[in-house]
Amino acid sequence: MKPAMETAAEENAEQSQEKKGCFECCIKCLGGVPYASLVATILCFSGVALFCGCGHVALTGTVTILEQHFSTTASDHALLSEVIQLMQYVIYGIASFFFLYGIILLAEGFYTTSAVKELHGEFKTTACGRCISGMFVFLTYVLGVAWLGVFGFSAVPVFMFYNIWSTCEVIKSLQTNVTVPGDQICVDIRQYGIIPWNAVPGKACGPILENICNTNEFYMSYHLFIVACAGAGATVIALLIYMMATTYNYAVLKFKSREDCCTKF
């Protein structure tokens, strides 16, 4: 029979080892988390949600403004309406694709991080796994370049609405100056090429333009386009983070898969 004090000491030692083993296990699991891919996934989901949601509503408000104030004949803006409707369907596809692609990239990040850090024993990888990682690197680069174009394109409506808003501010500032009538200050939407030159009325001047700027459709569309542009920018940043993370992981996997990798240092 062991003394009671020795038995208690052994039990305490076993408990401390269990706690230490649990702590080490938690640290090991946390070490396998691809933090860069996790941040990029959150940023990508947020950016795509802002771009798709705000862009969809802003496009609907833009069509309403054009129909009510700049192109009263339906045939004049029929093509524009079809293009905007097509863009809204494309937005649905973009949202669905990036939701799946973000999850796949996050899962690939967990796989490559665990393989690189050898969390589950000796380093093992296959040619197929390296090929899939390389494919994700290439696809992410392509999507990054494409989203740079989307980001630039999303800034176009912001520029247009800003010009209209700034013109309205000029009209308001001239209300105190009687020598310069505000009726001579106009905005011609036809010059942007979104409606044909024979569209009626095609432009708005003075108080009419000021009333347009005071409508809820204009206010909401303007600010939603700004948020959509910011969302596209956030998506570009997320894809850049994905590029760096996937390229680094692929390079390490490619290097460690070589038989003579240990003799290089």
Side-chain angles (χ1 to χ4, degrees), residues 26-113:
C26 292
I27 294 299
K28 185 177 181 180
C29 292
L30 290 176
V33 176
Y35 293 103
S37 298
L38 184 61
V39 171
T41 302
I42 297 173
L43 192 60
C44 181
F45 284 174
S46 302
V48 171
L50 288 176
F51 174 78
C52 295
C54 296
H56 184 277
V57 179
L59 288 173
T60 304
T62 302
V63 172
T64 303
I65 294 173
L66 290 174
E67 290 177 348
Q68 293 180 355
H69 304 285
F70 294 100
S71 181
T72 55
T73 304
S75 59
D76 292 338
H77 59 269
L79 179 61
L80 178 64
S81 299
E82 293 178 359
V83 171
I84 289 179
Q85 187 176 10
L86 178 62
M87 291 175 64
Q88 290 176 332
Y89 285 120
V90 170
I91 284 175
Y92 297 146
I94 290 175
S96 302
F97 171 78
F98 270 91
F99 177 76
L100 294 176
Y101 188 69
I103 293 177
I104 293 173
L105 276 184
L106 183 61
E108 197 266 345
F110 273 101
Y111 159 74
T112 52
T113 302

Side-chain angles (χ1 to χ4, degrees), residues 70-189:
F70 294 100
S71 181
T72 55
T73 304
S75 59
D76 292 338
H77 59 269
L79 179 61
L80 178 64
S81 299
E82 293 178 359
V83 171
I84 289 179
Q85 187 176 10
L86 178 62
M87 291 175 64
Q88 290 176 332
Y89 285 120
V90 170
I91 284 175
Y92 297 146
I94 290 175
S96 302
F97 171 78
F98 270 91
F99 177 76
L100 294 176
Y101 188 69
I103 293 177
I104 293 173
L105 276 184
L106 183 61
E108 197 266 345
F110 273 101
Y111 159 74
T112 52
T113 302
S114 299
V116 168
K117 295 186 177 181
E118 302 180 12
L119 296 177
H120 304 291
E122 186 181 356
F123 174 82
K124 292 181 181 180
T125 185
T126 61
C128 181
R130 294 192 299 272
C131 181
I132 293 175
S133 297
M135 181 192 68
F136 280 124
V137 172
F138 174 76
L139 185 57
T140 304
Y141 269 85
V142 172
L143 290 174
V145 174
W147 266 96
L148 282 175
V150 173
F151 176 64
F153 179 76
S154 63
V156 174
V158 176
F159 172 75
M160 294 171 54
F161 273 83
Y162 174 77
N163 284 342
I164 299 174
W165 174 81
S166 61
T167 305
C168 291
E169 292 298 316
V170 172
I171 295 175
K172 291 178 181 179
S173 64
L174 293 178
Q175 289 178 353
T176 58
N177 190 353
V178 184
T179 59
V180 181
D183 296 340
Q184 298 179 0
I185 301 176
C186 304
V187 169
D188 195 339
I189 296 297

Side-chain angles (χ1 to χ4, degrees), residues 145-259:
V145 174
W147 266 96
L148 282 175
V150 173
F151 176 64
F153 179 76
S154 63
V156 174
V158 176
F159 172 75
M160 294 171 54
F161 273 83
Y162 174 77
N163 284 342
I164 299 174
W165 174 81
S166 61
T167 305
C168 291
E169 292 298 316
V170 172
I171 295 175
K172 291 178 181 179
S173 64
L174 293 178
Q175 289 178 353
T176 58
N177 190 353
V178 184
T179 59
V180 181
D183 296 340
Q184 298 179 0
I185 301 176
C186 304
V187 169
D188 195 339
I189 296 297
R190 295 171 296 187
Q191 65 181 344
Y192 296 108
I194 58 177
I195 57 176
W197 282 103
N198 58 357
V200 179
K203 64 179 181 179
C205 304
I208 298 177
L209 180 60
E210 187 177 356
N211 291 333
I212 294 174
C213 292
N214 292 330
T215 59
N216 291 328
E217 289 82 6
F218 180 86
Y219 179 84
M220 289 295 297
S221 298
Y222 180 32
H223 290 83
L224 287 175
F225 273 127
I226 294 176
V227 177
C229 184
T235 306
V236 171
I237 296 174
L239 289 173
L240 289 175
I241 297 175
Y242 275 136
M243 287 181 198
M244 293 184 290
T246 54
T247 303
Y248 171 78
N249 287 333
Y250 174 75
V252 174
L253 288 177
K254 185 72 174 177
F255 175 75
K256 296 188 71 172
S257 63
R258 298 172 56 180
E259 295 180 357

